[in-house]
Amino acid sequence: MLDLVRPSLAGFFEGTNPTPPVHLGTRYDRSGNFLFEPGNTIVSHLVSGSPSEAVVIEVRERMRAMPDADRLAFTPISSLHMTLFQGIIEYRRRLPYWPEDVPLDTSIDDTTRLYQERLQGFEGQGAFKVKVVEVVPTGLTVAGASEDDRRIMQAWRDALSVPFGYRHPDHDTYVFHITFAYQVRRLADERASAWQDLFDDCLSLFEREAPVIELKPPAFCAFRDMKHFEELLVLG
């Protein structure tokens, strides 16, 4: 049955990926409870009350209604966002995921304050629009709605690498996404066709009713876990 599933979905199923989910035990536990994992980041939250947010929430609810959705740990609706640039995080204190000029044992709070100072007066690279390109068990894969949007998003990432002091290995290939959930357990192989049918229907829904996902301007945020991202500085 898995041979009929898109390659991008195969890693979410037991038969093709029996390894434990990478963040299990540090970001969340086996009961789906989110754990203390502080850090900071640059994200664009969904525009609350917008038509596209309503479609995102509907798709999220369709996923939660699946009989085996207990294998997923869902984040709150209020936390939904697209990450534009990854900041630092407690359990990744190593280069090149940490600024070279900041000691590796610096507290997360101190690093957050440092970034707030560095980002004062930061010049944004312009507005951009995004669209959904795929629905997967953990949420939405998104991309710039046009070639210009994709160029602008990359310009943001290039510019942000200066105050953040690093470029992750995937700096140029980063896959933008809106996370709904994390896998507690891989999905059962026999459920693959049901999930793929759901994702295909949901992608069609986006194409019809929300071809563009409305996002707030990028903001520098702090977090203690994956349930809330506090906006500290909106970037212009």
Side-chain angles (χ1 to χ4, degrees):
M1 186 173 295
L2 282 179
D3 58 351
L4 301 178
V5 171
R6 289 191 300 273
S8 57
L9 294 180
F12 294 102
F13 292 90
E14 293 171 332
T16 53
N17 189 8
T19 60
V22 63
H23 297 296
L24 181 62
T26 55
R27 184 162 296 178
Y28 55 95
D29 63 23
R30 293 188 180 278
S31 297
N33 300 307
F34 287 94
L35 306 174
F36 183 67
E37 187 187 21
N40 53 58
T41 185
I42 302 285
V43 310
S44 290
H45 282 100
L46 299 186
V47 175
S48 180
S50 65
S52 61
E53 184 200 42
V55 179
V56 170
I57 292 172
E58 179 179 345
V59 169
R60 177 181 177 276
E61 291 307 302
R62 289 187 185 186
M63 290 174 58
R64 291 183 67 230
M66 293 290 275
D68 47 345
D70 59 347
R71 297 189 179 210
L72 302 171
F74 284 84
T75 58
I77 290 173
S78 60
S79 75
L80 294 175
H81 65 270
M82 185 203 77
T83 300
L84 183 62
F85 190 92
Q86 297 161 285
I88 53 94
I89 196 165
E90 179 62 42
Y91 298 114
R92 195 158 58 183
R93 290 176 173 270
R94 61 185 185 277
L95 301 177
Y97 306 99
W98 196 271
E100 290 189 8
D101 60 343
V102 177
L104 290 174
D105 61 353
T106 304
S107 73
I108 298 295
D109 287 344
D110 285 346
T111 308
T112 296
R113 282 190 285 270
L114 173 64
Y115 281 149
Q116 280 188 273
E117 295 173 2
R118 290 184 178 183
L119 289 166
Q120 292 295 330
F122 178 85
E123 294 187 7
Q125 301 299 303
F128 55 85
K129 298 178 180 179
V130 302
K131 64 180 179 181
V132 177
V133 295
E134 189 172 24
V135 184
V136 298
T138 51
L140 310 174
T141 302
V142 301
S146 69
E147 186 58 41
D148 280 347
D149 292 313
R150 291 187 283 275
R151 177 185 56 78
I152 292 169
M153 292 166 74
Q154 187 61 47
W156 272 95
R157 288 178 59 77
D158 291 343
L160 285 165
S161 70
V162 177
F164 275 87
Y166 54 71
R167 289 190 176 212
H168 289 186
D170 65 350
H171 178 86
D172 294 319
T173 58
Y174 183 76
V175 178
F176 296 100
H177 56 276
I178 298 173
T179 297
F180 288 176
Y182 293 90
Q183 283 200 298
V184 176
R185 295 166 57 202
R186 303 298 182 196
L187 299 174
D189 296 351
E190 61 269 20
R191 294 285 300 153
S193 61
W195 279 99
Q196 181 158 288
D197 287 347
L198 172 69
F199 297 148
D200 290 343
D201 288 345
C202 290
L203 187 58
S204 295
L205 180 66
F206 279 116
E207 292 170 350
R208 293 193 311 271
E209 299 188 15
V212 170
I213 303 300
E214 296 158 275
L215 297 175
K216 294 172 62 178
F220 178 60
C221 297
F223 57 87
R224 296 297 178 188
D225 54 35
M226 295 296 110
K227 296 188 294 183
H228 179 69
F229 296 78
E230 185 71 25
E231 292 191 359
L232 303 177
L233 181 65
V234 176
L235 304 182

